[in-house]
C-alpha cells in the first residue's frame, strides 16, 4: 500500500480515535496546504493547544525542596543541619513544599518544543511560532526524555486538559531520529513505518466502534484453546484485535495493515493463508468453549484498500467469515460509513 497517499487529515482523525481524543478531532482546520505531513499538522495543533494552555495557566504541583536558611519554615532536617554545621552560620537545613510550575507535565512539553527547534526540515513559519511559545517555559526545566517518563505522568480532573498535548509529545518522542552527521533531528516517515501504522489502524478501528457503535460491547478478549495436554501454557496466546457483541450476534475482527490482502502464487492472487488460519482458529475455539451461547459468531478480516475493494463472504466449517477493505484515501465521511456498514450484518 502506498501509505503516503493517505490524506494527512485522515491520519489525524485516526490518531484522535486511537488516543480517545474525539473532542479534539475538530479542534483545528486540518485541510490546510501547509500541512505537508502528519508532523507539521500535529505541530500546528500542539501550538494552538499550548496557546490555550498558556491562557488558562500552567498546571502546578507541590514540590519538596531542601534549603539551608536562617528563615525557619517547613520541617527542620536535624541530621543534615548537624552534618553541615549549619548552626555555626546561624542557619538550619529545612524541608518544605512549594507550589510551582516545574512539573513533569510541563518539562515534557518544554523538552518537546526544544527538540522541535532542532528538527532540520520544520517549516520556518512553524519554527517561529515554536520559538514564541517556548519563551513562556522559561522557569521550566529541560529533561532527558525516555519511554518510562511518559508512563509516570499522572492526569486527573485538575490537569486532564494536558492529555492531548502529551499524546502529541509522546508521538514526537517515538518518531524523532538523530541525524548523527549534522547533530540535527528529523522525523521518521510515519506512514511508511509498518509497525506504527498497523498499531494505529487497529487502535483506530477499535475505538471508532466504541465511540460510534454504542449498541455493541467492544473489547479485546482472550480466546482459550479447546485443547487437552500436560502444559497448555505453552500454546500461543489467542487475543482478538476487536470483539464486538450485541444482542443478536458477535463479531471477532482482526485488522491487517498490509501492503496487500493477497499474495501471488503461480500468477494467481490468493488471500493470505496465515490471516485466514488465524481468524478461523479464533472462531473455532471460541465456539467450542462457548457452545451454550447460541448467538451467531462472525469472523472479519479488515484490510486497508490497496488496489481493489473487497467484500468477500465465506462459510468455513460452519463459521461465517468475511473479508473487507476500507479505503483510507476517501473522505472521512466515506470511511465512517464504510466501517459502520461492515458491522451492520
Amino acid at each position: 500500500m502506498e501509505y503516503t497517499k493517505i490524506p494527512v487529515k485522515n491520519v489525524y482523525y485516526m490518531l484522535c480515535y486511537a488516543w480517545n481524543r474525539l473532542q479534539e478531532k475538530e479542534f483545528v482546520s486540518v485541510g490546510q496546504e501547509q500541512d505537508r505531513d502528519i508532523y507539521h499538522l500535529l505541530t500546528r495543533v500542539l501550538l494552538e493547544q499550548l496557546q490555550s494552555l498558556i491562557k488558562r495557566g500552567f498546571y502546578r504541583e507541590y514540590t519538596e525542596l531542601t534549603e539551608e536558611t536562617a528563615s525557619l519554615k517547613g520541617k527542620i532536617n536535624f541530621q543534615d543541619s548537624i552534618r553541615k554545621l549549619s548552626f555555626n552560620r546561624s542557619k538550619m537545613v529545612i524541608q518544605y513544599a512549594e507550589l510551582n510550575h516545574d512539573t513533569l507535565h510541563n518539562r515534557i512539553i518544554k523538552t518537546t518544543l526544544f527538540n522541535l527547534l532542532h528538527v532540520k526540515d520544520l517549516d520556518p513559519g512553524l519554527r517561529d511560532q515554536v520559538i514564541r511559545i517556548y519563551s513562556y517555559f522559561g522557569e521550566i526545566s529541560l529533561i532527558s526524555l525516555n519511554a518510562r517518563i511518559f508512563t509516570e505522568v499522572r492526569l486527573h480532573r485538575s490537569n486532564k486538559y494536558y492529555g492531548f498535548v502529551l499524546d502529541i509529545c509522546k508521538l514526537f518522542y517515538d518518531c524523532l531520529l538523530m541525524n548523527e552527521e549534522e547533530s540535527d533531528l528529523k522525523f521518521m516517515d510515519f506512514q511508511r513505518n509498518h509497525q506504527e501504522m498497523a498499531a494505529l489502524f487497529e487502535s483506530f478501528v477499535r475505538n471508532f466502534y466504541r465511540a460510534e457503535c454504542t449498541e455493541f460491547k467492544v473489547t479485546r478478549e482472550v480466546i482459550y484453546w479447546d485443547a487437552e495436554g500436560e502444559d497448555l501454557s505453552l500454546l500461543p496466546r489467542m487475543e482478538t484485535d476487536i470483539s464486538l457483541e450485541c444482542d443478536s450476534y458477535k463479531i471477532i475482527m482482526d485488522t491487517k495493515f498490509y501492503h496487500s490482502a493477497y499474495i501471488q502464487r503461480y500468477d494467481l492472487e490468493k488471500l493470505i493463508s496465515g490471516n485466514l488460519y488465524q481468524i478461523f482458529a479464533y472462531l473455532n475455539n471460541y465456539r467450542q468453549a462457548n457452545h451454550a451461547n447460541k448467538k451467531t459468531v462472525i469472523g472479519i478480516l479488515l484490510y486497508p484498500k490497496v488496489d481493489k475493494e473487497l467484500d468477500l463472504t465465506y462459510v468455513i466449517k460452519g463459521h461465517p467469515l468475511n473479508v473487507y477493505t476500507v479505503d483510507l484515501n476517501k473522505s472521512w465521511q466515506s470511511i465512517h460509513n464504510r466501517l459502520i456498514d461492515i458491522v451492520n450484518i
Side-chain angles (χ1 to χ4, degrees):
M1 180 179 185
E2 295 188 28
Y3 304 135
T4 53
K5 288 186 177 180
I6 301 176
V8 172
K9 177 172 70 172
N10 289 351
V11 178
Y12 174 74
Y13 286 162
M14 291 169 66
L15 285 167
C16 286
Y17 275 101
W19 292 340
N20 285 314
R21 306 293 178 190
L22 298 190
Q23 288 185 335
E24 289 82 356
K25 187 163 69 74
E26 307 296 341
F27 182 78
V28 295
S29 170
V30 292
Q32 299 187 20
E33 294 180 359
Q34 71 265 31
D35 297 322
R36 61 176 181 263
D37 57 36
I38 188 60
Y39 301 118
H40 280 78
L41 187 150
L42 287 176
T43 299
R44 184 164 59 85
V45 172
L46 175 65
L47 293 170
E48 294 198 25
Q49 289 275 359
L50 289 179
Q51 289 178 26
S52 298
L53 188 150
I54 290 167
K55 292 178 181 178
R56 182 171 187 164
F58 289 137
Y59 171 65
R60 299 187 299 172
E61 284 182 341
Y62 280 102
T63 303
E64 290 292 331
L65 301 174
T66 300
E67 179 183 355
E68 185 183 51
T69 178
S71 301
L72 295 183
K73 58 180 177 179
K75 182 174 64 176
I76 298 175
N77 187 324
F78 287 101
Q79 184 176 357
D80 285 354
S81 296
I82 294 172
R83 180 174 57 82
K84 293 183 176 182
L85 300 176
S86 300
F87 54 88
N88 288 340
R89 297 183 292 277
S90 300
K91 295 182 178 181
M92 297 293 282
V93 176
I94 63 170
Q95 294 175 318
Y96 61 97
E98 183 177 84
L99 261 180
N100 65 59
H101 299 119
D102 198 17
T103 67
L104 183 57
H105 314 66
N106 294 324
R107 290 176 179 179
I108 290 173
I109 296 170
K110 180 175 181 176
T111 304
T112 299
L113 293 172
F114 179 83
N115 289 338
L116 284 173
L117 292 174
H118 291 80
V119 174
K120 184 177 180 180
D121 297 328
L122 186 66
D123 177 83
L126 284 179
R127 188 185 305 278
D128 290 341
Q129 294 182 52
V130 172
I131 292 172
R132 183 176 63 82
I133 294 295
Y134 185 79
S135 66
Y136 287 91
F137 288 77
E139 298 180 359
I140 311 300
S141 304
L142 288 169
I143 58 175
S144 178
L145 294 179
N146 56 59
R148 177 182 53 81
I149 283 176
F150 288 92
T151 67
E152 294 176 354
V153 175
R154 296 293 175 260
L155 296 175
H156 45 74
R157 185 170 61 181
S158 299
N159 63 12
K160 64 181 181 180
Y161 54 93
Y162 272 75
F164 187 47
V165 167
L166 293 174
D167 285 337
I168 297 175
C169 292
K170 176 63 165 56
L171 184 141
F172 283 174
Y173 165 76
D174 289 336
C175 297
L176 272 174
L177 302 172
M178 175 65 74
N179 185 332
E180 295 182 0
E181 294 181 359
E182 302 179 11
S183 298
D184 286 325
L185 293 171
K186 64 178 182 179
F187 284 113
M188 70 171 66
D189 192 337
F190 183 74
Q191 292 196 50
R192 291 189 180 276
N193 185 312
H194 177 79
Q195 185 175 0
E196 292 287 342
M197 288 302 295
L200 172 59
F201 185 54
E202 177 189 329
S203 296
F204 151 61
V205 174
R206 180 168 51 249
N207 287 343
F208 175 89
Y209 285 127
R210 282 177 178 159
E212 308 295 343
C213 298
T214 54
E215 70 273 22
F216 288 99
K217 178 183 178 183
V218 182
T219 61
R220 299 189 69 177
E221 64 178 325
V222 174
I223 297 176
Y224 296 97
W225 290 90
D226 178 34
E228 298 178 356
E230 294 181 356
D231 193 350
L232 298 182
S233 65
L234 295 177
L235 293 174
R237 179 183 174 90
M238 289 192 292
E239 184 174 20
T240 65
D241 288 347
I242 308 164
S243 293
L244 304 97
E245 187 165 3
C246 64
D247 293 337
S248 54
Y249 58 92
K250 180 185 181 75
I251 295 172
I252 294 175
M253 181 182 292
D254 241 23
T255 59
K256 302 295 183 184
F257 200 88
Y258 284 7
H259 291 272
S260 175
Y262 299 104
I263 58 172
Q264 291 286 337
R265 178 168 295 179
Y266 307 116
D267 295 327
L268 297 174
E269 289 183 333
K270 300 289 183 181
L271 292 172
I272 300 172
S273 58
N275 297 344
L276 289 169
Y277 295 151
Q278 181 182 8
I279 195 71
F280 178 76
Y282 288 177
L283 293 170
N284 198 41
N285 285 276
Y286 179 85
R287 175 53 68 202
Q288 293 297 325
N290 299 272
H291 55 84
N293 187 341
K294 300 304 181 182
K295 287 183 183 179
T296 299
V297 182
I298 303 156
I300 292 179
L301 286 173
L302 180 63
Y303 296 87
K305 177 188 172 185
V306 181
D307 50 358
K308 64 180 69 174
E309 192 165 288
L310 296 182
D311 282 282
L312 304 175
T313 301
Y314 304 99
V315 177
I316 303 176
K317 289 288 186 178
H319 301 294
L321 197 161
N322 303 334
V323 181
Y324 296 121
T325 55
V326 55
D327 190 345
L328 299 176
N329 298 326
K330 287 189 174 181
S331 70
W332 188 255
Q333 190 61 51
S334 296
I335 295 171
H336 179 282
N337 294 343
R338 173 64 170 168
L339 291 176
I340 296 294
D341 290 342
I342 283 172
V343 297
N344 286 336
I345 298 172

